Amino acid sequence: MKLNRRTLLIGGGSLAAAATLAACGDNNPIGADPTTDGGATTPATDPTNGGATETADAPGGDVTLQQWYHEYGEAGVKEAVERYAAEYPDATVEVKWTPGDYAQILAAQLLTDDVPDVFEVEQGGSLDMIRAGQLEPLNDILDPVLADFNPSVIDRFMFEGKIYGVPQTVDMQLLYYRPSLLEAAGVEPPTTFEELVTAANAVKTADMGGFYAGNDGGVGVLGTMFIWASGHEQLNDDRTAAAFLTDDFYNALIAYREFSESGGVVQAASGEWYSPEAFINEEAAFQWGGLWSLPEIKEAFGDDVGVVPFPAIGPKGRPAVPFGAFGACVAAKGKNVEAAKQFVKWLWIDQEDKQVDFSDAYGTHVPAKPGLVPQATKLADGAGADAAKYVAENGFTNDIMWSGALGEAFGAAVSNVVKNGADPKAEFAGFEELAATELANLKG
Amino acid sequence: MRGHQGRNLWFLAFVAPFFIGLAIFVYVPIAWSAYLSFFDARNTVNPTRFVGFDNYRYLFNDRLFRDSLKVFVLFAVFIVPLTYVCSLGLALLLNNLKYGQAFFRSVFFIPMAVSYVIAAIVWRFVFFNGARFGMINSFIRSLGGDPVNWLGGGNNLYWVALISVRLWLQVGFYMILFIAGLNQIPRETYEAASIDGASGWRMLRFITLPQLRGASVAVIMLLFINAFQAFDEFYNMLGSIGSYPPYGRPPLVHLYLIAFGGGQQNLGVGGAGTMILTSIIVLFGLAQTWALGRGQEKPKKVRA
């Protein structure tokens, strides 16, 4: 199961480890000692540097950097990142590929004295890591080129004026549909939630349902979409309170509940939202899914595939797509901070052919620099090109202070409203206070 | 000091490894959790900000945490008596078999070797798959019914899956415990009873069950503790990437989600949760020993 990649799209309040736990049954990722490397570490000695000329042309050649990645699901990624590391002229870079619960293993390792020099972190660093001073600010290498990167991603990576990670590549979710089915039913691709309801109910048949977003009826993955698509943000500007507890948001939840009750939402299917089976097996005419599923869907339906963002919902609504991005970070406690920074700059800022290769050659991801999108073959036209445009214009992701506790309380309230018919206002009554307390705690 | 023939030394040699392991892996973590639970310990095991009982207060104000305790109680109310009755029933049936005892014993014991994760995934994707081609749903459809949404919420049917998987996995183990208990009962007791004219139900009621008291206490205790520690089948049957539903959420799953969800580490709240759960389980254990042990001690005193 190629699940690891998909954990990207998960922010606070989620099971970051679900994929790996569900797939591998890894019992105790925290207890596993990541320092016992042995065969796991792959020394990538520089081919141009080997031999007699080593001392002459490599001023930093005696520096050895350790770089950590989580386990990517797609074939070839491991070899690719080892190749990138081997091609770096100024230091020896050892790549450590980390299967299992990467976030937990990394967090544990960063508490020790033996930290990796360079490592990837979801959304360019967690609040915990930044607060603990584990991450080196990368403003000096990033500030001059900030405009080259996807603005939504940079916004999310920047925290109190500092940025700690260079975006590597971007993943996103979107709504798949079949243009031919819509045409036959005489409906347009939806731009508002009302149109989605109409279209889903128009195209569904006895065998094919309307809209599908997971075996939980969609409440898990769509939860925060109701915030963004109804025109809100999760938190206010100074991150002291929840910023979405309005009637517009409550009405968005009620609209989705009515959509579910009308029978337009498929409640269970052969695959989860993050895999394309339900759509390919024609169990639903619309499916909320990941961009990573695009190649499989194209293989099944050819050009008869369209994508739209989650449609605007309510009077202040706007279309929205969630994104996730790993950022390359440098350990502040590392032995060679400057050399590590230079390596990150070289790989994720300067070497654009490698950045395109990383995004495009193994799976389907959006390059972190919009300027490189035309070079990504899978995003050249059709649905892929639309997707790349949405993530730059309508991209949202969980706030850095949207913690696990907030996410759990929010998800439970959404689920109770949609599934059990609870009144949204009553259901979210306690959330405002909880958010204020939790945010005050997070501020420290 | 070394004792007769170095007895004390031998005592130390045998006990020390176990005790040291217990101390390092059980007592120290428990003590450390207790320490952490009074601090704002995010992403560190050496916290500095003392917060008193804030973490405990937070958990008791957390509706999901309170609900998770109810989930445990509900789960235990179903799984403990059900496993008890089924494993005792199987043990009694097998114990009277003339042929094939070993075969049937193995048949019922083998599920014990299956991991909870694997079984949960089979249950989720094969038997209790909510899609129309799930195994049970295919059967229902062939009878003309509509597909049932087993695990998706909006109903309580997920309990059927959760309880059946645990029952299937653990019934064989407790059956073995009961068989061992049955073998301890002296044959003479039964012979004497049958001479007195007792048979069938009366033998079970007045000989077998009282003689199995020791095994029963152990089984019920283990069943409770295991139900309390339930994690794997819940997590793998109901959880999805990025979300776990608010229903069917036992205490350990909830603590895991709020302490470690989303790549964060809130060890203070995690520690407080651990302390609460530990004290509940200790109280449970004491209450049970007291309730089940009372009747047993009286005859002893009479004899003394």
Side-chain angles (χ1 to χ4, degrees):
Chain A
M1 285 206 261
K2 294 194 293 180
L3 295 179
N4 285 315
R5 186 73 206 185
R6 291 150 197 170
T7 62
L8 259 183
L9 287 155
I10 301 161
S14 60
L15 314 173
T20 40
L21 280 175
C24 324
D26 191 345
N27 290 324
N28 189 6
I30 306 160
D33 181 7
T35 56
T36 51
D37 41 11
T41 301
T42 313
T45 34
D46 187 342
T48 61
N49 247 354
T53 58
E54 185 167 27
T55 46
D57 65 359
D62 53 345
V63 172
T64 300
L65 298 174
Q66 226 197 39
Q67 184 186 22
W68 278 29
Y69 289 94
H70 84 287
E71 182 184 30
Y72 285 76
E74 297 96 348
V77 181
K78 181 165 186 260
E79 290 71 23
V81 296
E82 282 167 6
R83 193 178 69 242
Y84 305 156
E87 284 174 21
Y88 184 55
D90 296 335
T92 308
V93 180
E94 292 178 354
V95 169
K96 184 162 151 49
W97 193 250
T98 315
D101 190 345
Y102 177 74
Q104 301 289 356
I105 296 172
L106 177 67
Q109 189 68 24
L110 289 177
L111 294 174
T112 69
D113 286 332
D114 180 27
V115 294
D117 301 280
V118 179
F119 46 88
E120 55 176 14
V121 184
E122 281 181 73
Q123 320 292 32
S126 73
L127 186 66
D128 286 343
M129 291 174 179
I130 294 171
R131 283 286 162 71
Q134 292 168 337
L135 306 181
E136 177 72 14
L138 301 178
N139 290 62
D140 51 343
I141 58 171
L142 256 172
D143 281 348
V145 290
L146 225 42
D148 294 349
F149 284 91
N150 184 317
S152 309
V153 178
I154 291 295
D155 261 5
R156 174 60 179 77
F157 276 31
M158 194 72 84
F159 181 68
E160 293 173 349
K162 293 208 172 118
I163 190 161
Y164 300 89
V166 182
Q168 296 179 170
T169 188
V170 183
D171 277 318
M172 61 181 293
Q173 301 165 12
L174 27 64
L175 183 58
Y176 287 99
Y177 67 93
R178 299 265 301 283
S180 65
L181 296 177
L182 265 55
E183 220 165 275
V187 288
E188 292 289 310
T191 55
T192 65
F193 190 74
E194 289 78 26
E195 289 174 20
L196 172 64
V197 174
T198 315
N201 284 318
V203 293
K204 79 170 186 213
T205 64
D207 292 324
M208 185 191 295
F211 171 88
Y212 178 67
N215 281 310
D216 58 356
V219 292
V221 66
L222 296 180
T224 48
M225 299 308 300
F226 300 122
I227 298 180
W228 297 315
S230 63
H232 300 91
E233 299 296 332
Q234 289 174 315
L235 307 177
N236 61 3
D237 283 342
D238 49 2
R239 295 191 174 102
T240 51
F244 59 89
L245 300 170
T246 68
D247 284 341
D248 284 344
F249 170 70
Y250 299 144
N251 290 333
L253 293 181
I254 292 171
Y256 187 72
R257 177 166 79 202
E258 284 166 356
F259 186 27
S260 297
E261 285 168 352
S262 76
V265 180
V266 179
Q267 298 292 327
S270 53
E272 269 295 343
W273 66 266
Y274 47 77
S275 64
E277 284 89 17
F279 192 66
I280 290 174
N281 297 339
E282 304 197 313
E283 291 166 62
F286 287 90
Q287 189 192 321
W288 185 254
L291 180 65
W292 52 81
S293 300
L294 185 61
E296 284 169 84
I297 291 176
K298 274 197 159 168
E299 200 177 306
F301 298 124
D303 284 338
D304 188 18
V305 181
V307 291
V308 283
F310 193 84
I313 184 165
K316 295 196 188 101
R318 58 193 169 173
V321 291
F323 69 85
F326 269 99
C329 298
V330 170
K333 277 200 295 185
K335 289 176 194 71
N336 297 296
V337 174
E338 203 43 48
K341 267 190 188 176
Q342 288 312 311
F343 171 65
V344 168
K345 176 175 184 295
W346 174 82
L347 179 54
W348 297 114
I349 295 177
D350 298 341
Q351 297 283 307
E352 296 194 330
D353 55 328
K354 293 190 175 63
Q355 292 153 27
V356 173
D357 178 73
F358 187 74
S359 291
D360 194 48
Y362 314 99
T364 310
H365 316 286
V366 184
K369 296 177 184 170
L372 299 181
V373 170
Q375 294 180 40
T377 52
K378 288 169 185 155
L379 308 177
D381 52 10
D386 289 342
K389 193 175 68 171
Y390 299 146
V391 75
E393 292 169 5
N394 313 103
F396 294 90
T397 196
N398 283 332
D399 190 274
I400 193 166
M401 289 206 184
W402 187 258
S403 68
L406 285 183
E408 291 306 321
F410 175 81
V414 170
S415 174
N416 284 336
V417 171
V418 174
K419 299 234 139 180
N420 301 335
D423 172 50
K425 202 161 190 167
E427 199 57 36
F428 276 93
F431 187 84
E432 189 162 19
E433 199 191 322
L434 179 118
T437 318
E438 174 76 0
L439 291 169
N441 279 340
L442 288 170
K443 293 240 166 200
Chain B
M1 191 171 151
R2 290 177 54 165
H4 177 60
Q5 291 185 337
R7 249 168 97 170
N8 295 346
L9 220 58
W10 282 114
F11 174 79
L12 269 183
F14 281 109
V15 170
F18 175 74
F19 182 77
I20 290 170
L22 197 70
I24 292 179
F25 295 108
V26 178
Y27 296 141
V28 171
I30 289 181
W32 204 279
S33 293
Y35 171 75
L36 287 176
S37 70
F38 295 105
F39 286 85
D40 179 46
R42 289 177 197 266
N43 200 26
T44 174
V45 289
N46 299 309
T48 49
R49 201 160 75 90
F50 182 79
V51 294
F53 283 94
D54 273 9
N55 290 327
Y56 291 90
R57 209 169 294 134
Y58 173 83
L59 281 173
F60 284 120
N61 283 331
D62 180 1
R63 193 181 67 182
L64 284 169
F65 183 71
R66 293 196 307 264
D67 284 351
S68 79
L69 295 176
K70 284 183 215 153
V71 165
F72 155 66
V73 171
L74 205 61
F75 185 54
V77 162
F78 280 105
I79 194 72
V80 174
L82 198 61
T83 316
Y84 181 86
V85 169
C86 290
S87 50
L88 180 60
L90 281 175
L92 290 170
L93 281 177
L94 291 193
N95 218 33
N96 292 332
L97 270 189
K98 295 233 158 43
Y99 308 102
Q101 231 186 65
F103 171 75
F104 283 109
R105 225 184 270 173
S106 316
V107 165
F108 289 116
F109 188 73
I110 280 174
M112 181 73 199
V114 178
S115 110
Y116 271 84
V117 177
I118 308 259
I121 285 178
V122 171
W123 251 244
R124 175 183 190 160
F125 291 110
V126 181
F127 298 128
F128 292 95
N129 192 325
R132 60 177 189 272
F133 37 74
M135 206 166 186
I136 297 177
N137 279 350
S138 303
F139 181 68
I140 293 175
R141 269 163 59 93
S142 71
L143 297 178
D146 283 328
V148 175
N149 189 9
W150 291 100
L151 303 171
N155 56 42
N156 292 317
L157 292 170
Y158 56 91
W159 282 114
V160 179
L162 287 166
I163 288 173
S164 59
V165 74
R166 180 166 279 253
L167 185 67
W168 181 74
L169 284 167
Q170 70 181 9
V171 77
F173 175 72
Y174 294 101
M175 175 196 77
I176 297 285
L177 290 191
F178 277 123
I179 288 178
L182 288 173
N183 290 337
Q184 297 270 317
I185 304 175
R187 284 198 63 81
E188 296 79 24
T189 329
Y190 289 104
E191 282 163 11
S194 68
I195 289 169
D196 286 345
S199 63
W201 169 249
R202 295 180 70 85
M203 285 224 215
L204 178 69
R205 168 73 184 78
F206 292 106
I207 300 177
T208 313
L209 291 184
Q211 295 271 13
L212 279 180
R213 183 190 285 274
S216 295
V217 171
V219 164
I220 292 179
M221 188 77 193
L222 285 175
L223 281 173
F224 257 117
I225 292 175
N226 284 342
F228 207 69
Q229 294 177 336
F231 183 92
D232 291 351
E233 77 265 47
F234 283 85
Y235 196 75
N236 289 292
M237 221 183 284
L238 297 176
S240 165
I241 296 181
S243 64
Y244 188 96
Y247 55 85
R249 182 185 275 239
L252 286 189
V253 170
H254 181 61
L255 279 185
Y256 178 77
L257 293 172
I258 58 170
F260 293 111
Q264 56 163 7
Q265 302 204 35
N266 192 344
L267 302 178
V269 165
T274 316
M275 286 301 109
I276 295 172
L277 297 189
T278 310
S279 30
I280 291 176
I281 210 162
V282 167
L283 286 178
F284 249 118
L286 291 178
Q288 199 206 345
T289 330
W290 178 76
L292 289 170
R294 251 187 338 172
Q296 213 175 17
E297 275 166 40
K298 274 176 192 162
K300 270 185 199 164
K301 276 175 194 161
V302 174
R303 246 180 285 155

